[in-house]
Amino acid sequence: MVFGLVAVLTACTAAQSAATGKSGKSLYERLGGKPAIQAVVDDFIGNVAADARINGFFANADIPRLKRMLVDQICEASGGPCKYTGKSMKEAHAGMGITEAHFNALVEDLVKSLDKFRVPEKEKNELLAALAAMKPDIVGK
Ligand code: HEM
């Protein structure tokens, strides 16, 4: 029982330190909040739309919804006040046949936008780590 509580507290602290820097600010705050996330997602989806390696997947996509969902997902994952209400990553990508190469192409398109908006290396890597954790639910499903 006592050990159980210690384990829970340790897990909470680890999760929190993943989203907060030395400043104590959440990744969400350090990224610049929702307007900054929105600007990055807009630009990122523009890159995806122009990327012949993967844009075929999005031919019938509801782009305004996709953008809203991505903003909420990144906002929530980075410790912001949003609530992601979309499908699970498994559900959203089931049966698409997304390969590691497709996944890497999409990440490359995101990195281009993060660099364009001068997101610092530390914040960039924290965000990419959060997204990399979703990879097993997206690739090869
Ligand atoms: C970490 C990487 C990724 C994240 C965080 C992500 C996130 C999302 C989210 C939040 C949605 C919307 C779910 C909903 O509507 O409820 C979605 C849908 C979708 N994703 Fe991903 N995704 C990722 C990787 C990929 C990759 C690599 C591809 C293909 C190359 C892809 C293709 C799609 C498509 C085609 C849809 C459906 C859009 C629609 O029908 O409107 N995703 N994704």
Side-chain angles (χ1 to χ4, degrees), residues 28-80:
Y28 172 79
E29 288 173 284
R30 286 176 285 129
L31 286 171
K34 201 160 174 181
I37 294 172
Q38 255 155 354
V40 167
V41 166
D42 262 356
D43 191 71
F44 162 50
I45 296 301
N47 290 340
V48 169
D51 187 341
R53 296 172 297 179
I54 53 172
N55 58 9
F57 285 97
F58 298 89
N60 298 312
D62 178 348
I63 298 295
R65 174 187 163 90
L66 181 61
K67 283 184 181 175
R68 278 199 313 275
M69 291 300 117
L70 277 171
V71 168
D72 281 350
Q73 195 184 33
I74 293 173
C75 170
E76 184 175 353
S78 61

Side-chain angles (χ1 to χ4, degrees), residues 44 48 53-63 65-71 73-74 84-89 91-93 96 98-107 110 128 130-135 138-139:
F44 162 50
V48 169
R53 296 172 297 179
I54 53 172
N55 58 9
F57 285 97
F58 298 89
N60 298 312
D62 178 348
I63 298 295
R65 174 187 163 90
L66 181 61
K67 283 184 181 175
R68 278 199 313 275
M69 291 300 117
L70 277 171
V71 168
Q73 195 184 33
I74 293 173
Y84 175 66
T85 58
K87 298 174 189 157
S88 72
M89 289 299 91
E91 257 183 292
H93 303 95
M96 284 188 189
I98 296 170
T99 65
E100 183 130 9
H102 295 134
F103 188 89
N104 291 342
L106 181 127
V107 170
L110 174 60
L128 293 175
L131 298 182
M134 301 173 189
K135 187 169 149 184
I138 295 172
V139 168

Side-chain angles (χ1 to χ4, degrees), residues 90-139:
K90 246 186 195 157
E91 257 183 292
H93 303 95
M96 284 188 189
I98 296 170
T99 65
E100 183 130 9
H102 295 134
F103 188 89
N104 291 342
L106 181 127
V107 170
E108 213 179 280
D109 291 340
L110 174 60
V111 167
K112 264 191 213 165
S113 300
L114 294 169
D115 287 343
K116 181 169 168 181
F117 287 93
R118 307 224 182 288
V119 172
E121 207 66 18
K122 181 181 190 303
E123 280 68 29
K124 191 165 73 178
N125 288 335
E126 284 179 39
L127 180 60
L128 293 175
L131 298 182
M134 301 173 189
K135 187 169 149 184
D137 286 341
I138 295 172
V139 168

